[in-house]
Amino acid sequence: MAVAQETAPPAWWRRPPAVVAVVVLILGTELVIGWPALAGALQQLRTPAWNWVAGAVIAEIASMGSYARMQQALLRGAGTSIPVRRHVALAYAAHSLSATLPGGPVFSTAFNFRTLRRYGASSAVASWSIALSGVLSAGALVLIGAVFGILTRSTGSWRTLLCYMAGALIVAFLVRLVARHPQWLMGPARRLLSGVNRARRRPAESGHTRLTTFVDQLRSVRVRPADLTLAVLLAVANWLLDALCLWMCCIAVGATGIHPAPLVIAYCAGMAAASVPIVPGGLGVVDAALVLGLVAGGLTSASALAAVVLYRLISFGFIIGTGWLVWLIMRARAGTPRGVPA
């Protein structure tokens, strides 16, 4: 008969009470050290300049509108016309799913795709539009960071900007080339699909017909240069208007000791931190990056903290809350799309 082996008790630092005590000790120490800055931030938040707060809200709404119009320009250039109000509603709802749910980008992409299909876009056009929207948005943020980094003399010379621009042009050229010749992807895509089928113990040819149909649809996608140019400009406007919201939040709490270029650099650092999906909405990660960037740009800790809290109340609280309300309305009108949690 087998004799059960006694397991050794876990080390003291692995026991739940010890972990809780260490966390409470760290948070308590941080609260004591940062209490003067926190008290100053709370004092500034009690009496903000409400006209600047209203301006920040308008800038954030305009930022969301720019993103929606960017996606509209891409779809219109591909031959699919959807009213802008539907794009705006979709932008709010998809953003809220992405920012608040665990694994939000997956749910957001599925919701975006199925909604565009319901609005009349083909599978290829919807997939292409969602993918290119992400590429343009990320490229615009990199370009903005490079330009303002040069303006603050923190990234060498104009040759740095030229390298970024050359990289962006190469990516745009490759995307356009692949869009014109999607059959180039057929071989690798078929091999990948066959490998997935083997892993799932399905026939090797399963799904190949649908893949061929999708590529045939993608081959018909042609975007007019004017619409693509407009989409690029709207992608840049989306980030700059969001940064304008942060700047107005600084003014609203009386934090006027920072120039636009360092502020945009701090903003780009915060948005880069948001791209790492550690926690929903980047809570804590984005805020810390923004505060550190604003302090490095010349603000006091109290002013930077107050400005970031106000900015996050608008860009996260107000926009996300509105997005969930829009999602509930869309769900009530059309039913919950598959792949999105009820």
Side-chain angles (χ1 to χ4, degrees), residues 8-335:
W12 67 268
W13 62 82
R14 294 183 179 179
R15 297 174 184 175
V19 173
V20 172
V22 170
V23 171
V24 170
L25 179 62
I26 294 174
L27 293 177
T29 303
E30 291 180 349
L31 183 62
V32 171
I33 295 175
W35 178 252
L38 181 60
L42 293 175
Q43 181 63 33
Q44 289 178 286
L45 284 171
R46 289 195 186 100
T47 56
W50 290 108
N51 55 336
W52 286 100
V53 174
V57 172
I58 293 172
E60 193 63 32
I61 292 174
S63 173
M64 292 295 297
S66 297
Y67 185 87
R69 284 171 172 81
M70 175 190 68
Q71 197 168 59
Q72 184 193 34
L74 292 175
L75 283 173
R76 184 176 61 241
T80 302
S81 180
I82 299 174
V84 67
R85 59 182 177 81
R86 290 188 170 183
H87 279 287
V88 172
L90 178 57
Y92 274 88
H95 178 65
S96 297
L97 290 173
S98 177
T100 55
L101 291 178
V106 177
F107 291 114
S108 174
T109 301
F111 175 76
N112 215 338
F113 175 80
R114 296 185 182 276
T115 303
L116 291 178
R117 291 284 290 124
R118 192 168 63 245
Y119 288 162
S122 66
S123 299
V125 170
S127 302
W128 175 88
S129 172
I130 294 170
L132 191 56
S133 295
V135 171
L136 290 181
S137 185
L141 181 63
V142 171
L143 184 62
I144 291 170
V147 171
F148 282 88
I150 289 172
L151 293 177
T152 56
R153 297 181 181 180
S154 61
T155 59
S157 67
W158 287 98
R159 283 177 291 186
T160 306
L161 178 59
L162 293 177
C163 290
Y164 278 115
M165 293 179 65
L169 290 174
I170 291 173
V171 171
F173 173 76
L174 291 176
V175 169
R176 188 173 179 83
L177 193 63
V178 171
R180 285 182 176 274
H181 304 281
Q183 66 275 12
W184 293 351
L185 300 177
M186 281 297 298
R190 284 178 180 274
R191 287 191 291 271
L192 177 62
L193 183 57
S194 297
V196 172
N197 287 334
R198 284 194 296 271
R200 298 176 63 186
R201 297 181 180 179
R202 301 177 63 181
E205 299 297 321
S206 177
H208 282 206
T209 302
R210 294 180 62 186
L211 176 63
T212 303
T213 302
F214 179 83
V215 171
D216 289 339
Q217 293 178 1
L218 189 60
R219 192 178 302 172
S220 64
V221 176
R222 295 289 184 272
V223 180
R224 295 187 295 269
D227 291 305
L228 184 59
T229 301
L230 177 61
V232 171
L233 294 176
L234 288 170
V236 174
N238 169 46
W239 293 114
L240 291 180
L241 286 168
D242 196 23
L244 178 63
C245 174
L246 176 60
W247 178 74
M248 288 185 170
C249 289
C250 292
I251 302 299
V253 298
T256 58
I258 187 170
H259 295 289
L263 182 138
V264 174
I265 292 298
Y267 169 80
C268 290
M271 295 306 103
S275 65
V276 182
I278 299 176
V279 292
L283 290 176
V285 179
V286 175
D287 310 277
L290 287 173
V291 170
L292 291 174
L294 293 176
V295 170
L299 295 186
T300 64
S301 299
S303 296
L305 185 58
V308 170
V309 169
L310 181 57
Y311 166 73
R312 293 288 274 173
L313 285 174
I314 296 171
S315 65
F316 187 80
F318 172 70
I319 295 297
I320 297 300
T322 303
W324 275 110
L325 179 61
V326 170
W327 180 81
L328 289 174
I329 294 173
M330 295 175 68
R331 178 175 180 265
R333 288 181 176 178

